[in-house]
Amino acid sequence: MLTDKTVNRESQQKLYVQMSSIIKDKIEQREWPAGSQIPTEDDLCTTYNVSKATVRMAIAELVRNGYLRKQQGKGTFVSHALPDLGITMKTKLTEDMFGEGVVARKEVLVKGVKVPPEDVRNYLRSEGDIYYILCKRVVQGEPAYLEESFVPLEVVPDIEEADVCQTPFYEMMQQRAKKKIQKVVQMIEITEMTGDAAAILKTGKGAPMLLLHRLLVGTDGKPLAYTRLMGDGKKYKLQTELIQIA
């Protein structure tokens, strides 16, 4: 059955939210199947008697949620009908690595646009500018681990404004990225301390190092960011918690 919702101007719900719901219903009812091109912004404005700003906000929300994808010079297309699996991922670091009641803080050592190593470029599959953040976690006054993050500027254009000390990286990405995080691919290994990491963490070169790689992937299957944690392999363990939400 085709959807026939209309915009209700007497409703307290914002117009762009209503438009988003209309478009989403057409996708979920397969009126607009996966891979098909949706009507132009002008056509949607005419059909539902709304402004172009309203249509653009509705489309942007559905792109962020994975229902739609924009193709430069061609238009907007349906990605798939059921992108939201209802899963959010939260990672506990301080409690699980250091125990409760400890005094911990994060210090930013370096941030700004940087040419990433080739392996990171391959992870991100991006040829654009990459924003780099290097942080040090200090616990009870002693350096505990390093966190390196690489984010394509096209994913988070306003990342320079983010408070990366006070906001956990995953939470910052959820708030600011143009697309929502669909999954996190994570790998943990034990390797050896290198010169720079060893100097900052005050350990000997060649000492065991816990290295965690984490790739954040968007609803369209494309990488959003890559981050890695480096800590003393003798001291810490890491637990990741996945929480089902409605």
Side-chain angles (χ1 to χ4, degrees):
M1 182 177 69
L2 299 182
T3 57
D4 55 1
K5 280 186 177 181
T6 58
V7 172
N8 180 4
R9 295 184 178 277
E10 296 183 359
S11 171
Q12 294 183 350
Q13 193 175 48
K14 294 181 179 179
L15 294 183
Y16 87 88
V17 175
Q18 294 185 54
M19 274 302 305
S20 178
S21 178
I22 289 170
I23 296 172
K24 185 171 72 171
D25 282 353
K26 288 182 177 293
I27 294 170
E28 292 181 341
Q29 293 296 328
R30 305 301 197 275
E31 185 176 341
W32 295 347
S36 65
Q37 184 174 5
I38 72 170
T40 66
E41 292 179 358
D42 288 338
D43 287 341
L44 290 171
C45 290
T46 300
T47 300
Y48 295 100
N49 191 27
V50 293
S51 69
K52 188 165 289 188
T54 295
V55 169
R56 286 177 176 171
M57 289 175 68
I59 289 175
E61 179 68 14
L62 291 169
V63 168
R64 177 174 168 80
N65 287 330
Y67 285 92
L68 298 174
R69 58 181 173 84
K70 296 181 76 68
Q71 193 167 342
Q72 187 70 29
K74 293 188 176 181
T76 303
F77 296 80
V78 177
S79 294
H80 43 87
L82 300 172
D84 190 353
L85 302 180
I87 296 289
T88 186
M89 298 183 183
K90 296 184 179 179
T91 302
K92 292 184 176 180
L93 291 174
T94 302
E95 292 80 8
D96 294 319
M97 293 185 77
F98 313 120
E100 297 183 1
V102 300
V103 178
R105 70 177 190 276
K106 184 190 289 188
E107 298 178 358
V108 177
L109 303 179
V110 180
K111 66 176 183 176
V113 176
K114 176 181 178 179
V115 177
E118 189 63 27
D119 62 330
V120 174
R121 181 75 75 180
N122 291 336
Y123 275 129
L124 294 174
R125 305 206 307 263
S126 172
E127 296 301 322
D129 290 336
I130 304 296
Y131 196 84
Y132 173 72
I133 306 169
L134 175 63
C135 295
K136 176 176 66 174
R137 177 74 74 169
V138 178
V139 178
Q140 307 291 66
E142 293 294 327
Y145 72 88
L146 299 176
E147 176 182 304
E148 280 190 312
S149 301
F150 301 83
V151 185
L153 279 179
E154 63 190 36
V155 174
V156 188
D158 63 348
I159 192 171
E160 181 65 36
E161 301 173 9
D163 187 345
V164 294
C165 276
Q166 299 300 321
T167 306
F169 182 75
Y170 181 89
E171 183 178 330
M172 183 275 293
M173 290 295 298
Q174 283 284 63
Q175 294 172 353
R176 293 180 176 269
K178 286 186 173 181
K179 298 177 182 178
K180 286 188 176 179
I181 300 169
Q182 179 76 358
K183 66 179 179 180
V184 177
V185 180
Q186 184 167 288
M187 181 180 72
I188 301 174
E189 63 177 313
I190 297 295
T191 183
E192 295 183 349
M193 286 284 181
T194 60
D196 291 343
I200 296 172
L201 296 177
K202 300 179 181 179
T203 62
K205 291 183 180 179
M209 179 173 73
L210 176 69
L211 177 59
L212 181 147
H213 307 266
R214 185 176 293 142
L215 185 66
L216 277 57
V217 182
T219 51
D220 58 358
K222 296 181 180 179
L224 299 178
Y226 168 75
T227 185
R228 54 192 176 199
L229 309 179
M230 296 164 281
D232 189 333
K234 296 179 180 179
K235 294 182 180 180
Y236 310 121
K237 63 180 180 180
L238 185 77
Q239 176 177 318
T240 300
E241 181 179 281
L242 306 182
I243 302 175
Q244 180 78 39
I245 61 172

